[in-house]
Amino acid sequence: GLVIDGRTLNIIFQGGLEEQFLALTKHCRSVLCCRSTPLQKSMVVKLVRRKLKVMTLSIGDGANDVSMIQAADVGIGISGQEGMQAVMASDFAISRFKHLKKLLLVHGHWCYARLAKMVIYFFYKNVSYVNLLFWYQFFCGFSGSTMIDYWQMIFFNLFFTSMPPLLFGVLDRDVSAETLLSLPKLYKNGQ
């Protein structure tokens, strides 16, 4: 791991040493920036996103972490003694740092699996509807007349096709939470 302070980050950004800094951080499993300004934190996140072209995640618990959370692809705010500014600016909010493992490994895996299945479902739903309209045009001589009234289409989408997304969102869990926490490598398999 690498622990770097604000003064060193200032030297890196003013001296044009970003490439050397990134080369050093590639050899580390984690990099911690301490005693740095909010601008420096967001600059580090933007540097990593721009140069390495990777997805970034920022975690913060106070107002000084807001710019870093907003600069990242995924921002996680921890509610606590520092206030609620980081939580309000984040994509996800947790009450304690220890809940991060469950958020990423369990809920992240389930969300990824649900989204993958729902994309397939929406393609199926729309293709079947378009095929119905396509074959109807052969019977009406390509006159452009509508087969289904707009109100019927709205109610079809509202009542008959809204149930599978709700069921997937609530009930679909391919692997139990205990298994996902004990085997973190399962998170990578979903990708």
Side-chain angles (χ1 to χ4, degrees), residues 17 26 28-29 31 35 38 49 52 57 79 95 110 115 143 149 159 162 164 173:
L17 302 171
K26 283 183 185 178
C28 302
R29 293 186 72 181
V31 178
R35 302 283 182 215
R49 280 182 68 189
L52 299 181
L57 177 133
S79 61
S95 61
W110 286 344
L115 284 175
S143 66
D149 189 32
F159 293 120
S162 63
R173 294 179 178 157

mmCIF file of all heavy atoms in Angstrom, residues 17 26 28-29 31 35 38 49 52 57 79 95 110 115 143 149 159 162 164 173:
data_model
loop_
_atom_site.group_PDB
_atom_site.id
_atom_site.type_symbol
_atom_site.label_atom_id
_atom_site.label_comp_id
_atom_site.label_asym_id
_atom_site.label_seq_id
_atom_site.Cartn_x
_atom_site.Cartn_y
_atom_site.Cartn_z
ATOM 1 N N LEU A 17 4.530 15.495 -12.226
ATOM 2 C CA LEU A 17 4.987 14.135 -11.936
ATOM 3 C C LEU A 17 3.834 13.124 -11.906
ATOM 4 O O LEU A 17 3.939 12.088 -11.253
ATOM 5 C CB LEU A 17 5.722 14.117 -10.591
ATOM 6 C CG LEU A 17 6.927 15.046 -10.478
ATOM 7 C CD1 LEU A 17 7.418 15.109 -9.042
ATOM 8 C CD2 LEU A 17 8.035 14.585 -11.403
ATOM 9 N N LYS A 26 0.455 1.843 -9.587
ATOM 10 C CA LYS A 26 0.095 0.586 -10.259
ATOM 11 C C LYS A 26 0.649 -0.628 -9.525
ATOM 12 O O LYS A 26 0.108 -1.720 -9.631
ATOM 13 C CB LYS A 26 0.607 0.582 -11.701
ATOM 14 C CG LYS A 26 -0.210 1.416 -12.634
ATOM 15 C CD LYS A 26 0.345 1.290 -14.037
ATOM 16 C CE LYS A 26 -0.356 2.198 -14.994
ATOM 17 N NZ LYS A 26 0.205 2.108 -16.340
ATOM 18 N N CYS A 28 0.770 -0.886 -6.292
ATOM 19 C CA CYS A 28 0.162 -0.945 -4.965
ATOM 20 C C CYS A 28 -1.257 -1.492 -5.059
ATOM 21 O O CYS A 28 -1.965 -1.241 -6.028
ATOM 22 C CB CYS A 28 0.117 0.449 -4.339
ATOM 23 S SG CYS A 28 1.729 1.218 -4.199
ATOM 24 N N ARG A 29 -1.656 -2.209 -4.033
ATOM 25 C CA ARG A 29 -3.037 -2.708 -3.983
ATOM 26 C C ARG A 29 -3.993 -1.631 -3.525
ATOM 27 O O ARG A 29 -5.158 -1.623 -3.887
ATOM 28 C CB ARG A 29 -3.123 -3.906 -3.059
ATOM 29 C CG ARG A 29 -2.355 -5.108 -3.622
ATOM 30 C CD ARG A 29 -2.564 -6.313 -2.806
ATOM 31 N NE ARG A 29 -3.940 -6.774 -3.044
ATOM 32 C CZ ARG A 29 -4.462 -7.821 -2.460
ATOM 33 N NH1 ARG A 29 -3.764 -8.503 -1.596
ATOM 34 N NH2 ARG A 29 -5.687 -8.186 -2.718
ATOM 35 N N VAL A 31 -4.131 2.802 -2.279
ATOM 36 C CA VAL A 31 -3.461 4.088 -2.111
ATOM 37 C C VAL A 31 -4.343 4.939 -1.214
ATOM 38 O O VAL A 31 -5.528 5.114 -1.487
ATOM 39 C CB VAL A 31 -3.240 4.785 -3.465
ATOM 40 C CG1 VAL A 31 -2.593 6.142 -3.268
ATOM 41 C CG2 VAL A 31 -2.402 3.919 -4.385
ATOM 42 N N ARG A 35 -4.498 13.963 4.847
ATOM 43 C CA ARG A 35 -4.163 15.372 5.033
ATOM 44 C C ARG A 35 -4.100 16.116 3.698
ATOM 45 O O ARG A 35 -3.179 16.869 3.428
ATOM 46 C CB ARG A 35 -2.827 15.523 5.763
ATOM 47 C CG ARG A 35 -2.761 14.862 7.099
ATOM 48 C CD ARG A 35 -3.489 15.681 8.111
ATOM 49 N NE ARG A 35 -3.363 15.042 9.433
ATOM 50 C CZ ARG A 35 -4.310 15.070 10.314
ATOM 51 N NH1 ARG A 35 -5.435 15.675 10.052
ATOM 52 N NH2 ARG A 35 -4.152 14.487 11.473
ATOM 53 N N PRO A 38 -9.765 19.004 -0.516
ATOM 54 C CA PRO A 38 -10.798 18.414 -1.378
ATOM 55 C C PRO A 38 -10.440 18.472 -2.859
ATOM 56 O O PRO A 38 -10.740 17.536 -3.607
ATOM 57 C CB PRO A 38 -12.030 19.263 -1.068
ATOM 58 C CG PRO A 38 -11.818 19.776 0.300
ATOM 59 C CD PRO A 38 -10.339 19.973 0.427
ATOM 60 N N ARG A 49 -8.896 8.146 -13.491
ATOM 61 C CA ARG A 49 -9.910 7.897 -14.530
ATOM 62 C C ARG A 49 -9.384 8.235 -15.916
ATOM 63 O O ARG A 49 -9.601 7.498 -16.876
ATOM 64 C CB ARG A 49 -11.166 8.724 -14.268
ATOM 65 C CG ARG A 49 -12.071 8.151 -13.234
ATOM 66 C CD ARG A 49 -13.314 8.980 -13.068
ATOM 67 N NE ARG A 49 -14.138 8.895 -14.265
ATOM 68 C CZ ARG A 49 -15.202 9.637 -14.477
ATOM 69 N NH1 ARG A 49 -15.564 10.531 -13.592
ATOM 70 N NH2 ARG A 49 -15.902 9.503 -15.566
ATOM 71 N N LEU A 52 -5.606 5.989 -16.625
ATOM 72 C CA LEU A 52 -5.679 4.527 -16.598
ATOM 73 C C LEU A 52 -6.941 3.985 -17.254
ATOM 74 O O LEU A 52 -7.042 2.794 -17.495
ATOM 75 C CB LEU A 52 -5.596 4.030 -15.152
ATOM 76 C CG LEU A 52 -4.324 4.362 -14.391
ATOM 77 C CD1 LEU A 52 -4.381 3.786 -12.992
ATOM 78 C CD2 LEU A 52 -3.105 3.852 -15.135
ATOM 79 N N LEU A 57 -14.065 4.307 -7.659
ATOM 80 C CA LEU A 57 -14.997 4.332 -6.548
ATOM 81 C C LEU A 57 -14.382 5.179 -5.449
ATOM 82 O O LEU A 57 -13.221 4.983 -5.092
ATOM 83 C CB LEU A 57 -15.252 2.912 -6.037
ATOM 84 C CG LEU A 57 -16.166 2.798 -4.834
ATOM 85 C CD1 LEU A 57 -17.187 1.711 -5.093
ATOM 86 C CD2 LEU A 57 -15.387 2.463 -3.595
ATOM 87 N N SER A 79 -22.493 8.039 6.507
ATOM 88 C CA SER A 79 -23.113 8.997 7.431
ATOM 89 C C SER A 79 -22.483 8.827 8.805
ATOM 90 O O SER A 79 -22.259 7.719 9.274
ATOM 91 C CB SER A 79 -24.623 8.772 7.506
ATOM 92 O OG SER A 79 -24.911 7.480 7.983
ATOM 93 N N SER A 95 -24.110 3.388 6.711
ATOM 94 C CA SER A 95 -23.986 4.010 8.028
ATOM 95 C C SER A 95 -22.609 3.800 8.644
ATOM 96 O O SER A 95 -22.162 4.613 9.443
ATOM 97 C CB SER A 95 -25.063 3.464 8.963
ATOM 98 O OG SER A 95 -24.908 2.067 9.119
ATOM 99 N N TRP A 110 -25.800 -9.039 -6.850
ATOM 100 C CA TRP A 110 -27.229 -9.212 -7.150
ATOM 101 C C TRP A 110 -27.706 -8.169 -8.160
ATOM 102 O O TRP A 110 -28.462 -8.483 -9.076
ATOM 103 C CB TRP A 110 -28.051 -9.113 -5.876
ATOM 104 C CG TRP A 110 -27.967 -10.302 -4.984
ATOM 105 C CD1 TRP A 110 -27.498 -11.550 -5.299
ATOM 106 C CD2 TRP A 110 -28.362 -10.372 -3.616
ATOM 107 N NE1 TRP A 110 -27.565 -12.385 -4.222
ATOM 108 C CE2 TRP A 110 -28.105 -11.683 -3.165
ATOM 109 C CE3 TRP A 110 -28.897 -9.458 -2.728
ATOM 110 C CZ2 TRP A 110 -28.373 -12.097 -1.873
ATOM 111 C CZ3 TRP A 110 -29.170 -9.873 -1.439
ATOM 112 C CH2 TRP A 110 -28.914 -11.183 -1.021
ATOM 113 N N LEU A 115 -29.737 -6.783 -13.463
ATOM 114 C CA LEU A 115 -29.712 -5.904 -14.626
ATOM 115 C C LEU A 115 -29.456 -6.681 -15.911
ATOM 116 O O LEU A 115 -30.065 -6.402 -16.949
ATOM 117 C CB LEU A 115 -28.651 -4.814 -14.453
ATOM 118 C CG LEU A 115 -29.015 -3.683 -13.514
ATOM 119 C CD1 LEU A 115 -27.835 -2.747 -13.340
ATOM 120 C CD2 LEU A 115 -30.207 -2.917 -14.034
ATOM 121 N N SER A 143 -50.874 -0.493 -44.977
ATOM 122 C CA SER A 143 -51.586 0.780 -45.021
ATOM 123 C C SER A 143 -51.167 1.727 -43.898
ATOM 124 O O SER A 143 -51.496 2.899 -43.931
ATOM 125 C CB SER A 143 -53.096 0.535 -44.936
ATOM 126 O OG SER A 143 -53.424 0.001 -43.661
ATOM 127 N N ASP A 149 -54.779 0.105 -30.064
ATOM 128 C CA ASP A 149 -55.039 1.467 -29.629
ATOM 129 C C ASP A 149 -53.988 1.882 -28.594
ATOM 130 O O ASP A 149 -53.419 1.064 -27.885
ATOM 131 C CB ASP A 149 -56.442 1.539 -29.018
ATOM 132 C CG ASP A 149 -56.862 2.958 -28.732
ATOM 133 O OD1 ASP A 149 -56.436 3.848 -29.489
ATOM 134 O OD2 ASP A 149 -57.597 3.165 -27.753
ATOM 135 N N PHE A 159 -49.809 -3.088 -16.848
ATOM 136 C CA PHE A 159 -50.312 -4.205 -16.043
ATOM 137 C C PHE A 159 -49.615 -5.538 -16.322
ATOM 138 O O PHE A 159 -49.258 -6.266 -15.410
ATOM 139 C CB PHE A 159 -51.821 -4.366 -16.239
ATOM 140 C CG PHE A 159 -52.599 -3.216 -15.692
ATOM 141 C CD1 PHE A 159 -53.412 -2.463 -16.519
ATOM 142 C CD2 PHE A 159 -52.510 -2.855 -14.359
ATOM 143 C CE1 PHE A 159 -54.126 -1.399 -16.019
ATOM 144 C CE2 PHE A 159 -53.215 -1.795 -13.854
ATOM 145 C CZ PHE A 159 -54.033 -1.058 -14.693
ATOM 146 N N SER A 162 -45.274 -5.178 -16.202
ATOM 147 C CA SER A 162 -44.593 -4.571 -15.054
ATOM 148 C C SER A 162 -44.337 -5.582 -13.940
ATOM 149 O O SER A 162 -43.537 -5.324 -13.049
ATOM 150 C CB SER A 162 -45.408 -3.399 -14.516
ATOM 151 O OG SER A 162 -46.658 -3.849 -14.048
ATOM 152 N N PRO A 164 -42.909 -8.830 -14.092
ATOM 153 C CA PRO A 164 -41.572 -9.457 -14.068
ATOM 154 C C PRO A 164 -40.463 -8.560 -13.525
ATOM 155 O O PRO A 164 -39.651 -9.030 -12.730
ATOM 156 C CB PRO A 164 -41.335 -9.840 -15.531
ATOM 157 C CG PRO A 164 -42.694 -10.046 -16.079
ATOM 158 C CD PRO A 164 -43.555 -9.028 -15.399
ATOM 159 N N ARG A 173 -32.350 -13.846 -6.451
ATOM 160 C CA ARG A 173 -31.037 -13.943 -5.808
ATOM 161 C C ARG A 173 -30.435 -15.268 -6.225
ATOM 162 O O ARG A 173 -30.812 -16.323 -5.731
ATOM 163 C CB ARG A 173 -31.181 -13.877 -4.293
ATOM 164 C CG ARG A 173 -31.690 -12.538 -3.847
ATOM 165 C CD ARG A 173 -31.866 -12.475 -2.368
ATOM 166 N NE ARG A 173 -32.323 -11.136 -2.028
ATOM 167 C CZ ARG A 173 -32.973 -10.843 -0.941
ATOM 168 N NH1 ARG A 173 -33.246 -11.774 -0.065
ATOM 169 N NH2 ARG A 173 -33.347 -9.618 -0.712
#
